[in-house]
Structure formats: structure tokens, C-alpha cells
Amino acid sequence: MKIGIDAMGGDFAPKAIVEGIVLAAQELPAGVTIVLIGQTAVIQQIIDNQNFKGSNIEIVEANETIEMGEHPVRALQSKPNSSIGVGFKLLKTGVIDVFASAGNTGAMMVGSLFSIKTIEGIQRPPIAGFAPQIDGSLAVILDIGANADVKPEMLAQFGILGSIYAKATMGIESPRVALMNIGEEPEKGSVVVQQAYKLLQEERKINFVGNIEGKDFFKAKADVIVTDGFTGNILLKMGESLYGILSERGVKDDFIDQTNYEAVGGSPIIGVNGNVVIAHGSSSALATKNMVHLCHRIVESKLTEKIKKAFA
């Protein structure tokens, strides 16, 4: 297995990214190699400073970097040798099994849609996030930002995709799928959400348990939470803010610790012809290490193959 990582993407790249890779490399099982993509000399210097003696890190040269504020499409077109551009080439040709970056989110999304493309039958791939639950588990929430405007059919597909993800990577045999709404009753919410409820209820591939409200977000009532990208993004970032606020006040709590973005390290794009993970722009070494472990679980679970089979 080869895990491709953009070494140059992120607010604290390449130092924090490479330091996190060194931490992860010492924890991965035999047969797993991390492929760092970026400026070789810079990356190698950071690795040397960490006194890393292992053999499971490789470097692929990419002498350009797409900055956070650049226009995604123009940047990918004008910088074919960027770390993100090279990463998608390696993923498309099968040199790496997964590609992850803490860099320009738009470029990662555009690269996914136009390089490896969407799996046939899927309308719009969502980005999946993870919400900690009071029982110690994680719920998959999708979408968290890729699709601010959705159709009922898209929300129904998010339910299927989330269910496949939870079963494949989290070992949940029959994941509970819930629809985020302003009330538990089927007739509540917008026209889009009401129609989505009906579609999810009729979908035999999933275990749909109905609507949940914002107050249920952390209460372990579902394994998969379905919503549009606008709402999902707000919910997830509100959860992340809890960690920052309470940490500043000196509050230490196991549940609150899990709302820290570093705990999982990344968010997969689900429904494209390859494994792609987007990390937080402010990723630290710890977040990067956990991102690598997330990538490892996704590849090992054969997630993309299972999604293709389900939508064939």
C-alpha cells in the first residue's frame, strides 16, 4: 500500500506535515509506504532533522505549490507540476492508493472531479466529516461543504454513501442513517428535506431511522447523519469551536477532546474513482499523523471498490 501526501499544502507546511509523516511512519504496519509529494530538498532536510532512519517514506518531486487563495481550476491548469497536480497524476495511474492534502480544498475537489472523476451513478460526491458521540463512537456526517445546494436525490445518495462508509471502515453491520432536520416529524423542514425523507424511507439498502434535530447531533442517535454541505459545515465547525473555547478555559474532557479536528485528521471525498482525503488547512503534526491512519483505514477497507459495486 502506498499513501500519497501533499507535503507542501497547509498553513504550516511543509514542516508540520513532514513531522507528522515521520510520526505516522513509525506506527504503520509493514508493507505500507508513505509517498511525500513536493520539493525534495526541503522535505529531505526536515526528515533528516527528525533523525528518521526508517525506509517507508519516499519522495516524489513537485516543484510548484498551489497556494490557499488561488483559483482552483486556474491553479491546476497553470501549475501542472504542483504537489496537488502531481498527486492526482500518481493516484490516477495507480502509483499511490490514496491521496491526501491539507492544501487548497477547492483544488482537491476540482482535481477529484476532473482527474479521477465521479463514480458512474453518483450525482455529486460529498465530503464526509466525523462527529464525536457521547457513547465514545463517531458518526459520519455528509455533506460538510462540497454541495451547499442539494436535491432530494442527492441527499438520498449521501445516505447510501455514508452507510457504505460506516460499514466498510467502522465495522458497523447496519449503520443507522438519520436526516438532519428542524424537527423529528416527516412533514417538517424544507420541500427538499421532506422529499429526501421519503426517498430515504423507501431506500432498502440502508437502515433509515428518520429525522434528528441539532440537539441530537452528539447524542449517538445515528451512525450516519445526512445533510446539505452548508448545514453540515456549520454544524461541524460549531463542534470544533467547543474544543477551542473550553481549552482556553482550562476544561479537560474526553468527549470535548474528540471535537478537536486533530483527532481524526481529515475528511474523505466519497464517490469518486479513487481515495481522496482533505485535511484541515491548519493541520499540525498530530493531525497529519492521524490523517495518515485515516488514509490507511480507507484503503484497507476497499471503500471505493464497494461503492462502485453498490452503484453498478
Side-chain angles (χ1 to χ4, degrees):
M1 182 190 302
K2 289 196 171 186
I3 299 172
I5 304 292
D6 171 14
M8 314 308 292
D11 297 338
F12 305 114
K15 188 175 185 292
I17 303 299
V18 178
E19 288 177 354
I21 294 306
V22 170
L23 292 173
Q26 299 172 70
E27 299 177 354
L28 291 170
V32 181
T33 300
I34 302 173
V35 179
L36 279 170
I37 305 158
Q39 298 172 22
T40 304
V42 175
I43 295 170
Q44 190 61 58
Q45 182 62 56
I46 299 170
I47 292 175
D48 292 343
N49 290 342
Q50 298 297 303
N51 296 314
F52 179 70
K53 304 300 181 184
S55 58
N56 58 341
I57 295 179
E58 297 177 0
I59 303 173
V60 172
E61 173 67 22
N63 58 15
E64 297 176 309
T65 302
I66 294 177
E67 303 298 336
M68 289 295 200
E70 289 192 73
H71 187 278
V73 176
R74 288 198 293 268
L76 283 169
Q77 290 175 340
S78 63
K79 295 181 175 180
N81 293 319
S82 66
S83 49
I84 290 180
V86 172
F88 276 110
K89 288 175 189 174
L90 296 176
L91 183 63
K92 185 177 181 179
T93 55
V95 175
I96 56 178
D97 300 295
V98 57
F99 177 50
S101 173
N104 188 306
T105 299
M108 289 295 288
M109 199 71 203
V110 170
S112 298
L113 295 176
F114 292 97
S115 177
I116 56 175
K117 303 188 184 326
T118 304
I119 292 172
E120 187 174 354
I122 294 175
Q123 292 189 24
R124 286 295 301 271
I127 302 174
F130 304 93
Q133 303 297 297
I134 55 173
D135 64 354
S137 66
L138 288 175
V140 184
I141 174 170
L142 61 177
D143 187 10
I144 62 162
N147 305 283
D149 297 305
V150 297
K151 298 177 181 178
E153 295 80 9
M154 292 167 63
L155 290 173
Q157 285 195 345
F158 293 172
I160 298 171
L161 291 169
S163 185
I164 295 170
Y165 184 93
K167 186 173 182 178
T169 69
M170 302 163 79
I172 304 171
E173 187 57 37
S174 182
R176 298 164 298 162
V177 179
L179 179 64
M180 182 58 67
N181 204 342
I182 59 173
E184 294 182 0
E185 299 84 357
E187 64 274 9
K188 285 288 184 72
S190 66
V191 172
V192 170
V193 173
Q194 289 178 35
Q195 290 299 315
Y197 185 100
K198 294 178 182 179
L199 293 174
L200 287 163
Q201 193 174 41
E202 295 168 359
E203 181 53 66
R204 295 183 179 182
K205 295 178 183 177
I206 64 173
N207 174 22
F208 182 56
V209 296
N211 290 329
I212 61 170
E213 301 176 59
K215 64 183 176 64
D216 304 315
F217 189 56
F218 299 117
K219 290 189 176 178
K221 291 189 174 182
D223 304 300
V224 177
I225 300 172
V226 174
T227 188
D228 62 89
F230 184 88
T231 305
N233 189 277
I234 290 173
L235 281 168
L236 203 66
K237 289 183 178 177
M238 180 197 68
E240 288 178 2
S241 74
L242 293 175
Y243 175 78
I245 292 169
L246 294 178
S247 294
E248 289 173 0
R249 297 187 175 193
V251 177
K252 181 71 175 176
D253 181 87
D254 290 342
F255 170 76
I256 294 299
D257 287 348
Q258 292 305 305
T259 63
N260 180 10
Y261 75 89
E262 294 177 315
V264 177
S267 299
I269 300 175
I270 302 181
V272 291
N273 284 293
N275 301 306
V276 181
V277 173
I278 298 172
H280 202 289
S282 298
S283 287
S284 61
L286 175 60
T288 301
K289 183 191 79 166
N290 289 332
M291 175 182 70
V292 172
H293 287 300
L294 173 65
C295 289
H296 177 248
R297 288 194 299 273
I298 289 171
V299 176
E300 195 171 48
S301 72
K302 301 187 184 302
L303 175 66
T304 299
E305 290 87 341
K306 289 174 181 176
I307 293 173
K308 288 180 180 179
K309 184 177 180 180
F311 281 85

